[in-house]
Every structure is written in C-alpha cells, then in structure tokens.
Amino acid sequence: MRLLITWLINTLALLAVPYLMHSVQFTSFGAALIAALVLGFVNTLIRPVLLLLTLPATLLTLGLFIFIINGLMFWLVSHLVSGFYVASFWAAVGGAILYSIVSWALSTLLLKKN
C-alpha cells in the first residue's frame, strides 16, 4: 500500500512541475501516471549504474554532476513516454530539480514515519 501511495505522490509532484516550469508539459493524467512509473524504474535500474560510471566526474565537481544525471534520467523518460514533453536538456535538469523538491515536500507532509 505504501508503494502505491508513494507512486501517487510522485505523480502529483510530476504534475506540479508544468505549473512551475512551462517547458515541461503533460497531455493527460494518465501520461503523468505512466511517466512517474517509468521514472521510478529508470531511477531504480539505470541511475545507479550511471552514478558508478561517472563517479570521477561527480567527485571532481563535488557532487554537482548528479544534477546532470538526474536531468538525463528526466529527459530519457520524456522520450520514452508519449504525452510527456520536455523542451530541452536544461529544461530537464530544472524539471528534475523541481520534481525532487516537490516530491520530497509531499512525501514529508503525507507519509508518516513508522
């Protein structure tokens, strides 16, 4: 049940991004649900491999390269899911940052610690 609630929270966070940034768009609520699911899978499966492969660059930039990786994951999902559009790579980086902040805030407010 907690996984389903987390998925819905992430979907709501993803739906909030176009209101804060006009270069990210959704065509429907269903596209946002699918994008949140795919983003979860991409962040679970691909992101750790990329973090490991880019560890020297991440260390050299004192961790700032992680923003680039998050943007790449966000941009990748926009290419995989129809109905989810991101205008450019830098818009994806900004959208990923906003998505992370909104998702964290909603999770903090709505999920209780056990």
Side-chain angles (χ1 to χ4, degrees):
M1 187 67 172
R2 187 173 172 92
L3 183 64
L4 183 63
I5 292 170
T6 303
W7 177 38
L8 290 174
I9 288 172
N10 288 337
T11 302
L12 291 175
L14 207 52
L15 281 170
V17 173
Y19 291 103
L20 302 170
M21 186 174 188
H22 297 291
S23 55
V24 177
Q25 298 295 320
F26 284 101
T27 58
S28 67
F29 182 74
L33 280 171
I34 294 169
L37 184 66
V38 173
L39 192 60
F41 282 129
V42 165
N43 282 335
T44 301
L45 300 174
I46 298 173
R47 187 173 180 264
V49 174
L50 280 178
L51 287 175
L52 185 63
L53 291 174
T54 61
L55 188 60
T58 303
L59 291 174
L60 189 64
T61 61
L62 303 175
L64 294 177
F65 196 72
I66 292 175
F67 289 119
I68 302 300
I69 293 174
N70 288 343
L72 280 172
M73 298 298 99
F74 203 76
W75 203 27
L76 174 67
V77 170
S78 75
H79 287 294
L80 294 176
V81 176
S82 62
F84 176 36
Y85 303 103
V86 178
S88 67
F89 170 73
W90 292 109
V93 172
I97 292 170
L98 286 174
Y99 168 71
S100 297
I101 292 169
V102 173
S103 177
W104 168 79
L106 287 174
S107 295
T108 302
L109 291 173
L110 299 176
L111 291 177
K112 296 179 182 174
K113 301 287 183 198
N114 291 334

